[in-house]
Amino acid sequence: MKGTRYMIALLFLVSVGIFGSCKETEAPVEEPIAAPEPQPDLSTAMQKVFDDFELVGMSVALIHKGSVAWEGHYGLANVKKEVPIDGATKYRIASISKTITAIALMQLYEQGLVALDEDIGTYLGWQLRNPNHPEIPITLRQLMSHTSSLRDGQGYFDFSREMVAQELPIESLFTEDGDYYTADLFDDRRPSDFFTYTNCSWGLVASIVERASGMHFDRYCQKNIFEPMGLKANFNVAQLEDTDKLAALYRYENGAWNAQVDDYTETAPVERRYGSYTAGRNGLLFGPQGSLRASTDDLIAIAKLFFNRGTYNGNTILSAESIDKMTAREWVFSGANGDTWEGFFNAYGLGIHCVLNAPKGDIIFPDRKMIGHPGIAYGLLSDLYIDPVSESGVVFITNGSKKEYKYGKDSSFYGVEEAVFKQLYPYLKTLESANTVF
């Protein structure tokens, strides 16, 4: 079933070396590949991708030796207002948000305020256990590597729809006597035994960030990540400085582009933070699993943060040790220990997707195993992937397509993603062969 990523988005909106690093410790060994063919101007090539897939808007950036080697923006951020996309256009970047949420948690880990292998009930203030295995604690390490045995059950969707209006505590979702609890929130398998990609678990991570820091999740990230890095990103759309630079996300329905989220042509964003909200009550409120609004420029900065092992513009955001912990392979597919989404997820760190280049699977650039994260929601597709060894990487975002997203012929990425990667890769190889920085 090649539509797994798409279907999961619609609902919401090899054991050897299992603890190895997603980031290579020495230069990657290249498989024999054909010499790169001369490439047409990338702007023209990307325009063809944009046209072939009938996108409403698109941003692409190629990183070489830690710097932007090429960047292009196409189409519209907002159809009604005819706002063109550029490097400062902010998108609701979907699950790339999880990487930033993990950064926030790891900052508190560095301060000794949380431990990765402690029972999360210690930090939540209430006990959370899989009722099928009540004797086994659930930990932050498991939550951030999708091995906690939590699943996105029906209760998650019901809770998400009503949590703002009803001012719901997240405890009412995960405890058996909670009003939104459903049995399908928990797997029959034990914590740590199986990888199941999950969104609801990140609400628990954010709740713990709030309880440990004493700050609302969006404000914590603003103060401790975005401001020190000089980014204009925000988990709270109502707090963005300029919604005119915000891309609406579209699906093409009945012959027209229909905005799904972030079309503020006639209304301003509504503040989700209600007056009685206290830190730790419900980390899902600010969308730690997928609601970060960020630009291509912001994502390039995040890439450089990882290249620089935790520092950016002279500010230390994370220690090198924490970068190593995030990018270590906490889970690797052994043949039966996880749902890979048709070969897409073969290894995962802490909020980091680790690419293994499985045949017809998780391939971006075939001669290097990259780390990063994808996103899909409300018509958007997004990718941020890097190779720390060569300091190469790619950012790709589109805010909608007239065509249904279908998997590519040679990988488990969608066809439009695969097309972008195939245009960028020979160009990158030419740069690397020439040892040239643009």
Side-chain angles (χ1 to χ4, degrees), residues 14 25 34 51-52 85 96 137 144 184-185 266 268 295 318 386:
V14 193
T25 57
D51 294 339
D52 287 349
I85 286 175
I96 298 175
M144 293 194 292
D184 59 353
L185 286 162
E266 299 174 359
S295 67
L318 279 181
I386 65 169

Side-chain angles (χ1 to χ4, degrees), residues 56-77:
V56 61
M58 180 177 80
S59 293
V60 181
L62 175 66
I63 303 171
H64 167 57
K65 288 195 171 181
S67 298
V68 176
W70 184 88
E71 184 173 348
H73 306 277
Y74 303 83
L76 299 175

Side-chain angles (χ1 to χ4, degrees), residues 236-256:
N236 188 342
V237 65
Q239 297 299 314
L240 286 176
E241 293 179 3
D242 184 6
T243 55
D244 288 337
K245 298 296 294 182
L246 182 62
L249 307 186
Y250 294 93
R251 291 195 175 103
Y252 196 75
E253 302 165 328
N254 301 318

Side-chain angles (χ1 to χ4, degrees), residues 136-188:
I136 302 176
I138 293 173
T139 69
L140 281 164
R141 189 187 302 275
Q142 294 163 353
L143 291 178
M144 293 194 292
S145 61
H146 298 282
T147 59
S148 67
S149 77
L150 284 166
R151 302 188 303 185
D152 289 335
Q154 183 58 47
Y156 168 54
F157 305 109
D158 296 340
F159 180 89
S160 297
R161 282 193 298 269
E162 300 179 17
M163 64 182 179
V164 178
Q166 300 298 323
E167 302 183 4
L168 300 175
I170 199 168
E171 185 177 357
S172 68
L173 172 61
F174 288 110
T175 55
E176 288 187 88
D177 60 351
D179 291 341
Y180 292 84
Y181 172 85
T182 52
D184 59 353
L185 286 162
F186 292 93
D187 202 328
D188 292 337

